[in-house]
Amino acid sequence: MEQASINTSNCYYYVGKMPRDSKYHQGLFHPRHPEKYVGDVNNIVYRSSWELRFLQYCDSNDNILQYASEEFSIPYLSPIDNKVHRYYPDYLIKVKESNGSIKKYVIEVKPKRQTEKPKKRSRVTKTYINEMRLYAVNQAKWKYAQEFCKDNLLEFKIITEEQLFNNNGSGTRRVSRKSKK
């Protein structure tokens, strides 16, 4: 899959509202091409504006033949509690490559900062500890996802703001609706 930016500017989508019990942009996605979606087309949940953008891309791109959202899980061993948990990757997509071949990808949409080890700080704060825990759990999930993909002839990809927003990270912040005085 090429590292191109994702353009959804010429598309219209109905986006249903969900209860706002989170600080993130969430809702139900209703595709223009429901025949491409594998799963319950009436319950396509996105948990961030970035996931919504990726869903719009999958629905509008002719080279994306099929896609699914959180439709399967991968067991992984958490480094935090040493117990087996379930990881639900964001997407499974079936793509027609530029050479005509068909390939399947497991996709995770994440901010780039969550894919990199947090920088050591002079003081160990709660924020730093939480960032390190999140990084460790993500690394464990992705290790098991890569093994799962290798065993099932899939490819694992992490999509960050660099791919979602013109490869340079522009437009990654949500604009506040409150007017500044």
Side-chain angles (χ1 to χ4, degrees):
M1 188 159 70
E2 63 185 52
Q3 296 283 334
S5 64
I6 296 174
N7 182 358
T8 59
S9 60
N10 295 328
C11 304
Y12 169 78
Y13 297 90
Y14 168 73
V15 179
K17 296 289 183 193
M18 290 180 64
R20 296 290 295 177
D21 61 346
S22 171
K23 64 182 179 177
Y24 301 104
H25 184 75
Q26 302 180 57
L28 293 174
F29 177 70
H30 301 279
R32 295 186 76 191
H33 303 284
E35 68 281 1
K36 290 174 66 171
Y37 189 75
V38 179
D40 183 357
V41 76
N42 295 313
N43 194 32
I44 306 173
V45 176
Y46 61 90
R47 302 180 196 291
S48 70
S49 59
W50 293 7
E51 288 186 11
L52 172 60
R53 186 172 182 101
F54 190 76
L55 283 167
Q56 291 169 335
Y57 171 75
C58 289
D59 191 49
S60 66
N61 187 318
D62 292 337
N63 291 323
I64 307 285
L65 304 175
Q66 293 180 321
Y67 64 102
S69 174
E70 296 185 1
E71 293 290 338
F72 71 99
S73 66
I74 300 170
Y76 74 97
L77 183 65
S78 170
I80 304 301
D81 61 10
N82 220 20
K83 293 182 181 178
V84 175
H85 295 266
R86 291 183 194 162
Y87 165 43
Y88 291 87
D90 290 331
Y91 305 101
L92 175 64
I93 62 174
K94 184 177 180 181
V95 178
K96 181 178 179 183
E97 299 286 335
S98 57
N99 65 6
S101 66
I102 305 297
K103 195 164 185 180
K104 291 183 180 179
Y105 295 89
V106 172
I107 304 290
E108 182 68 24
V109 176
K110 279 284 184 248
K112 186 174 180 181
R113 64 181 164 74
Q114 289 184 15
T115 67
E116 299 169 342
K117 189 171 183 175
K119 291 181 174 54
K120 185 88 169 147
R121 299 177 183 174
S122 57
R123 283 184 39 223
V124 176
T125 63
K126 285 183 182 180
T127 300
Y128 176 73
I129 291 169
N130 289 336
E131 289 172 353
M132 285 300 295
R133 291 173 66 116
L134 178 63
Y135 177 77
V137 168
N138 282 342
Q139 292 300 305
K141 288 178 181 179
W142 300 339
K143 174 186 167 211
Y144 283 87
Q146 288 171 337
E147 290 173 10
F148 174 87
C149 288
K150 184 178 176 186
D151 292 344
N152 291 283
L153 303 175
L154 303 167
E155 188 171 329
F156 181 68
K157 293 249 185 215
I158 300 169
I159 304 291
T160 69
E161 61 270 26
E162 290 180 351
Q163 290 81 40
L164 287 172
F165 301 95
N166 302 322
N167 291 331
N168 64 7
S170 65
T172 58
R173 286 184 266 152
R174 259 184 102 193
V175 178
S176 174
R177 294 184 183 155
K178 295 179 182 177
S179 61
K180 295 184 180 182
K181 294 183 180 182

PDB file of all heavy atoms in Angstrom, residues 8 21 33-34 36 43 70 85-86 93 98-99 107 119 139 150 154-156 164 173:
ATOM      1  N   THR A   8     -10.441  12.936   1.065  1.00  0.00           N
ATOM      2  CA  THR A   8     -11.871  12.630   1.162  1.00  0.00           C
ATOM      3  C   THR A   8     -12.704  13.877   0.890  1.00  0.00           C
ATOM      4  O   THR A   8     -13.872  13.932   1.231  1.00  0.00           O
ATOM      5  CB  THR A   8     -12.225  12.082   2.556  1.00  0.00           C
ATOM      6  OG1 THR A   8     -11.874  13.063   3.531  1.00  0.00           O
ATOM      7  CG2 THR A   8     -11.515  10.781   2.841  1.00  0.00           C
ATOM      8  N   ASP A  21     -19.647  10.815  25.794  1.00  0.00           N
ATOM      9  CA  ASP A  21     -19.035  10.536  27.086  1.00  0.00           C
ATOM     10  C   ASP A  21     -17.508  10.465  26.968  1.00  0.00           C
ATOM     11  O   ASP A  21     -16.832   9.960  27.815  1.00  0.00           O
ATOM     12  CB  ASP A  21     -19.597   9.256  27.688  1.00  0.00           C
ATOM     13  CG  ASP A  21     -19.347   8.031  26.817  1.00  0.00           C
ATOM     14  OD1 ASP A  21     -18.977   8.214  25.639  1.00  0.00           O
ATOM     15  OD2 ASP A  21     -19.531   6.914  27.315  1.00  0.00           O
ATOM     16  N   HIS A  33     -21.087   3.258  -0.064  1.00  0.00           N
ATOM     17  CA  HIS A  33     -20.942   1.983  -0.772  1.00  0.00           C
ATOM     18  C   HIS A  33     -20.982   0.836   0.246  1.00  0.00           C
ATOM     19  O   HIS A  33     -19.952   0.206   0.514  1.00  0.00           O
ATOM     20  CB  HIS A  33     -19.636   1.960  -1.563  1.00  0.00           C
ATOM     21  CG  HIS A  33     -19.519   3.091  -2.532  1.00  0.00           C
ATOM     22  ND1 HIS A  33     -20.206   3.102  -3.723  1.00  0.00           N
ATOM     23  CD2 HIS A  33     -18.832   4.253  -2.476  1.00  0.00           C
ATOM     24  CE1 HIS A  33     -19.939   4.231  -4.367  1.00  0.00           C
ATOM     25  NE2 HIS A  33     -19.118   4.940  -3.629  1.00  0.00           N
ATOM     26  N   PRO A  34     -22.159   0.558   0.800  1.00  0.00           N
ATOM     27  CA  PRO A  34     -22.245  -0.465   1.849  1.00  0.00           C
ATOM     28  C   PRO A  34     -21.845  -1.866   1.371  1.00  0.00           C
ATOM     29  O   PRO A  34     -21.453  -2.705   2.184  1.00  0.00           O
ATOM     30  CB  PRO A  34     -23.718  -0.429   2.274  1.00  0.00           C
ATOM     31  CG  PRO A  34     -24.442   0.232   1.160  1.00  0.00           C
ATOM     32  CD  PRO A  34     -23.455   1.156   0.498  1.00  0.00           C
ATOM     33  N   LYS A  36     -19.212  -2.694   0.003  1.00  0.00           N
ATOM     34  CA  LYS A  36     -17.784  -2.885   0.243  1.00  0.00           C
ATOM     35  C   LYS A  36     -17.486  -3.280   1.687  1.00  0.00           C
ATOM     36  O   LYS A  36     -16.415  -3.807   1.970  1.00  0.00           O
ATOM     37  CB  LYS A  36     -17.010  -1.597  -0.080  1.00  0.00           C
ATOM     38  CG  LYS A  36     -16.959  -1.266  -1.555  1.00  0.00           C
ATOM     39  CD  LYS A  36     -16.312   0.071  -1.817  1.00  0.00           C
ATOM     40  CE  LYS A  36     -14.867   0.119  -1.472  1.00  0.00           C
ATOM     41  NZ  LYS A  36     -14.196   1.356  -1.927  1.00  0.00           N
ATOM     42  N   ASN A  43     -23.644  -0.710  12.007  1.00  0.00           N
ATOM     43  CA  ASN A  43     -22.946  -0.490  13.274  1.00  0.00           C
ATOM     44  C   ASN A  43     -21.445  -0.318  13.041  1.00  0.00           C
ATOM     45  O   ASN A  43     -20.632  -1.005  13.641  1.00  0.00           O
ATOM     46  CB  ASN A  43     -23.209  -1.658  14.233  1.00  0.00           C
ATOM     47  CG  ASN A  43     -22.788  -1.324  15.642  1.00  0.00           C
ATOM     48  OD1 ASN A  43     -22.853  -0.177  16.063  1.00  0.00           O
ATOM     49  ND2 ASN A  43     -22.336  -2.328  16.370  1.00  0.00           N
ATOM     50  N   GLU A  70     -12.875  -3.358  13.271  1.00  0.00           N
ATOM     51  CA  GLU A  70     -12.882  -4.067  14.548  1.00  0.00           C
ATOM     52  C   GLU A  70     -13.744  -5.326  14.510  1.00  0.00           C
ATOM     53  O   GLU A  70     -14.518  -5.597  15.421  1.00  0.00           O
ATOM     54  CB  GLU A  70     -13.329  -3.134  15.683  1.00  0.00           C
ATOM     55  CG  GLU A  70     -12.373  -1.992  15.913  1.00  0.00           C
ATOM     56  CD  GLU A  70     -12.737  -1.126  17.114  1.00  0.00           C
ATOM     57  OE1 GLU A  70     -13.736  -1.415  17.804  1.00  0.00           O
ATOM     58  OE2 GLU A  70     -12.016  -0.160  17.367  1.00  0.00           O
ATOM     59  N   HIS A  85      -4.883 -10.682  26.800  1.00  0.00           N
ATOM     60  CA  HIS A  85      -5.980  -9.765  26.483  1.00  0.00           C
ATOM     61  C   HIS A  85      -6.307  -9.907  25.009  1.00  0.00           C
ATOM     62  O   HIS A  85      -5.584 -10.570  24.265  1.00  0.00           O
ATOM     63  CB  HIS A  85      -5.574  -8.308  26.773  1.00  0.00           C
ATOM     64  CG  HIS A  85      -5.313  -8.038  28.214  1.00  0.00           C
ATOM     65  ND1 HIS A  85      -6.273  -7.557  29.058  1.00  0.00           N
ATOM     66  CD2 HIS A  85      -4.185  -8.186  28.967  1.00  0.00           C
ATOM     67  CE1 HIS A  85      -5.759  -7.401  30.270  1.00  0.00           C
ATOM     68  NE2 HIS A  85      -4.492  -7.783  30.241  1.00  0.00           N
ATOM     69  N   ARG A  86      -7.379  -9.257  24.566  1.00  0.00           N
ATOM     70  CA  ARG A  86      -7.763  -9.262  23.151  1.00  0.00           C
ATOM     71  C   ARG A  86      -7.490  -7.891  22.543  1.00  0.00           C
ATOM     72  O   ARG A  86      -7.889  -6.875  23.090  1.00  0.00           O
ATOM     73  CB  ARG A  86      -9.248  -9.571  22.998  1.00  0.00           C
ATOM     74  CG  ARG A  86      -9.600 -10.965  23.343  1.00  0.00           C
ATOM     75  CD  ARG A  86     -11.068 -11.202  23.084  1.00  0.00           C
ATOM     76  NE  ARG A  86     -11.487 -12.430  23.725  1.00  0.00           N
ATOM     77  CZ  ARG A  86     -12.733 -12.744  23.969  1.00  0.00           C
ATOM     78  NH1 ARG A  86     -13.700 -11.926  23.619  1.00  0.00           N
ATOM     79  NH2 ARG A  86     -13.024 -13.877  24.555  1.00  0.00           N
ATOM     80  N   ILE A  93      -8.506  -4.526   5.507  1.00  0.00           N
ATOM     81  CA  ILE A  93      -8.868  -4.049   4.172  1.00  0.00           C
ATOM     82  C   ILE A  93      -8.314  -4.993   3.106  1.00  0.00           C
ATOM     83  O   ILE A  93      -7.260  -5.599   3.288  1.00  0.00           O
ATOM     84  CB  ILE A  93      -8.403  -2.601   3.907  1.00  0.00           C
ATOM     85  CG1 ILE A  93      -6.884  -2.462   3.981  1.00  0.00           C
ATOM     86  CG2 ILE A  93      -9.076  -1.630   4.867  1.00  0.00           C
ATOM     87  CD1 ILE A  93      -6.379  -1.079   3.584  1.00  0.00           C
ATOM     88  N   SER A  98      -1.388  -1.520  -7.330  1.00  0.00           N
ATOM     89  CA  SER A  98      -1.149  -0.882  -8.625  1.00  0.00           C
ATOM     90  C   SER A  98      -0.715  -1.884  -9.697  1.00  0.00           C
ATOM     91  O   SER A  98      -0.936  -1.666 -10.879  1.00  0.00           O
ATOM     92  CB  SER A  98      -0.116   0.237  -8.498  1.00  0.00           C
ATOM     93  OG  SER A  98       1.090  -0.275  -7.968  1.00  0.00           O
ATOM     94  N   ASN A  99      -0.122  -3.013  -9.290  1.00  0.00           N
ATOM     95  CA  ASN A  99       0.283  -4.041 -10.252  1.00  0.00           C
ATOM     96  C   ASN A  99      -0.842  -5.033 -10.557  1.00  0.00           C
ATOM     97  O   ASN A  99      -0.635  -6.013 -11.269  1.00  0.00           O
ATOM     98  CB  ASN A  99       1.531  -4.782  -9.760  1.00  0.00           C
ATOM     99  CG  ASN A  99       1.280  -5.576  -8.492  1.00  0.00           C
ATOM    100  OD1 ASN A  99       0.150  -5.681  -7.998  1.00  0.00           O
ATOM    101  ND2 ASN A  99       2.340  -6.137  -7.942  1.00  0.00           N
ATOM    102  N   ILE A 107      -4.950  -2.868   9.618  1.00  0.00           N
ATOM    103  CA  ILE A 107      -4.584  -1.457   9.789  1.00  0.00           C
ATOM    104  C   ILE A 107      -4.895  -0.984  11.207  1.00  0.00           C
ATOM    105  O   ILE A 107      -5.980  -1.244  11.728  1.00  0.00           O
ATOM    106  CB  ILE A 107      -5.366  -0.564   8.788  1.00  0.00           C
ATOM    107  CG1 ILE A 107      -5.139  -1.012   7.350  1.00  0.00           C
ATOM    108  CG2 ILE A 107      -5.050   0.914   9.002  1.00  0.00           C
ATOM    109  CD1 ILE A 107      -3.759  -0.754   6.805  1.00  0.00           C
ATOM    110  N   LYS A 119      10.174  10.068  25.409  1.00  0.00           N
ATOM    111  CA  LYS A 119      11.513  10.543  25.772  1.00  0.00           C
ATOM    112  C   LYS A 119      11.671  10.562  27.286  1.00  0.00           C
ATOM    113  O   LYS A 119      10.764  10.952  28.012  1.00  0.00           O
ATOM    114  CB  LYS A 119      11.742  11.942  25.204  1.00  0.00           C
ATOM    115  CG  LYS A 119      11.844  11.941  23.692  1.00  0.00           C
ATOM    116  CD  LYS A 119      12.089  13.356  23.172  1.00  0.00           C
ATOM    117  CE  LYS A 119      12.340  13.390  21.699  1.00  0.00           C
ATOM    118  NZ  LYS A 119      11.357  12.760  20.862  1.00  0.00           N
ATOM    119  N   GLN A 139       3.175  -1.858  21.848  1.00  0.00           N
ATOM    120  CA  GLN A 139       4.236  -2.672  21.256  1.00  0.00           C
ATOM    121  C   GLN A 139       3.889  -4.161  21.335  1.00  0.00           C
ATOM    122  O   GLN A 139       4.114  -4.908  20.378  1.00  0.00           O
ATOM    123  CB  GLN A 139       5.579  -2.394  21.934  1.00  0.00           C
ATOM    124  CG  GLN A 139       6.132  -1.009  21.658  1.00  0.00           C
ATOM    125  CD  GLN A 139       6.371  -0.767  20.185  1.00  0.00           C
ATOM    126  OE1 GLN A 139       7.070  -1.529  19.516  1.00  0.00           O
ATOM    127  NE2 GLN A 139       5.780   0.286  19.652  1.00  0.00           N
ATOM    128  N   LYS A 150       1.595 -12.545   9.614  1.00  0.00           N
ATOM    129  CA  LYS A 150       2.539 -13.434   8.932  1.00  0.00           C
ATOM    130  C   LYS A 150       1.940 -14.823   8.765  1.00  0.00           C
ATOM    131  O   LYS A 150       2.034 -15.426   7.693  1.00  0.00           O
ATOM    132  CB  LYS A 150       3.849 -13.510   9.720  1.00  0.00           C
ATOM    133  CG  LYS A 150       4.920 -14.326   9.060  1.00  0.00           C
ATOM    134  CD  LYS A 150       6.199 -14.321   9.871  1.00  0.00           C
ATOM    135  CE  LYS A 150       7.228 -15.233   9.235  1.00  0.00           C
ATOM    136  NZ  LYS A 150       8.423 -15.361  10.058  1.00  0.00           N
ATOM    137  N   LEU A 154      -1.224 -11.845   5.639  1.00  0.00           N
ATOM    138  CA  LEU A 154      -1.692 -10.460   5.695  1.00  0.00           C
ATOM    139  C   LEU A 154      -0.493  -9.571   5.965  1.00  0.00           C
ATOM    140  O   LEU A 154       0.590 -10.046   6.322  1.00  0.00           O
ATOM    141  CB  LEU A 154      -2.708 -10.285   6.834  1.00  0.00           C
ATOM    142  CG  LEU A 154      -3.941 -11.184   6.815  1.00  0.00           C
ATOM    143  CD1 LEU A 154      -4.658 -11.110   8.156  1.00  0.00           C
ATOM    144  CD2 LEU A 154      -4.867 -10.760   5.700  1.00  0.00           C
ATOM    145  N   GLU A 155      -0.687  -8.273   5.810  1.00  0.00           N
ATOM    146  CA  GLU A 155       0.372  -7.327   6.150  1.00  0.00           C
ATOM    147  C   GLU A 155      -0.178  -6.358   7.188  1.00  0.00           C
ATOM    148  O   GLU A 155      -1.294  -5.862   7.055  1.00  0.00           O
ATOM    149  CB  GLU A 155       0.844  -6.565   4.916  1.00  0.00           C
ATOM    150  CG  GLU A 155       2.065  -5.712   5.208  1.00  0.00           C
ATOM    151  CD  GLU A 155       2.681  -5.113   3.961  1.00  0.00           C
ATOM    152  OE1 GLU A 155       2.601  -5.735   2.883  1.00  0.00           O
ATOM    153  OE2 GLU A 155       3.233  -3.998   4.078  1.00  0.00           O
ATOM    154  N   PHE A 156       0.614  -6.091   8.227  1.00  0.00           N
ATOM    155  CA  PHE A 156       0.221  -5.174   9.292  1.00  0.00           C
ATOM    156  C   PHE A 156       0.795  -3.791   9.027  1.00  0.00           C
ATOM    157  O   PHE A 156       1.976  -3.656   8.732  1.00  0.00           O
ATOM    158  CB  PHE A 156       0.723  -5.698  10.645  1.00  0.00           C
ATOM    159  CG  PHE A 156       0.332  -4.832  11.807  1.00  0.00           C
ATOM    160  CD1 PHE A 156      -0.993  -4.720  12.188  1.00  0.00           C
ATOM    161  CD2 PHE A 156       1.288  -4.125  12.512  1.00  0.00           C
ATOM    162  CE1 PHE A 156      -1.370  -3.926  13.263  1.00  0.00           C
ATOM    163  CE2 PHE A 156       0.931  -3.326  13.593  1.00  0.00           C
ATOM    164  CZ  PHE A 156      -0.400  -3.229  13.968  1.00  0.00           C
ATOM    165  N   LEU A 164      -2.525  10.212   6.946  1.00  0.00           N
ATOM    166  CA  LEU A 164      -3.893  10.742   6.917  1.00  0.00           C
ATOM    167  C   LEU A 164      -3.968  12.187   6.433  1.00  0.00           C
ATOM    168  O   LEU A 164      -4.953  12.593   5.846  1.00  0.00           O
ATOM    169  CB  LEU A 164      -4.526  10.663   8.309  1.00  0.00           C
ATOM    170  CG  LEU A 164      -4.913   9.274   8.788  1.00  0.00           C
ATOM    171  CD1 LEU A 164      -5.332   9.330  10.247  1.00  0.00           C
ATOM    172  CD2 LEU A 164      -6.029   8.702   7.939  1.00  0.00           C
ATOM    173  N   ARG A 173      -4.767  18.635  14.345  1.00  0.00           N
ATOM    174  CA  ARG A 173      -5.479  19.050  15.548  1.00  0.00           C
ATOM    175  C   ARG A 173      -6.913  19.415  15.233  1.00  0.00           C
ATOM    176  O   ARG A 173      -7.191  20.012  14.206  1.00  0.00           O
ATOM    177  CB  ARG A 173      -4.782  20.249  16.190  1.00  0.00           C
ATOM    178  CG  ARG A 173      -3.502  19.825  16.884  1.00  0.00           C
ATOM    179  CD  ARG A 173      -2.890  20.990  17.574  1.00  0.00           C
ATOM    180  NE  ARG A 173      -1.927  21.545  16.628  1.00  0.00           N
ATOM    181  CZ  ARG A 173      -1.568  22.798  16.589  1.00  0.00           C
ATOM    182  NH1 ARG A 173      -2.070  23.665  17.417  1.00  0.00           N
ATOM    183  NH2 ARG A 173      -0.697  23.212  15.708  1.00  0.00           N
TER     184      ARG A 173
END
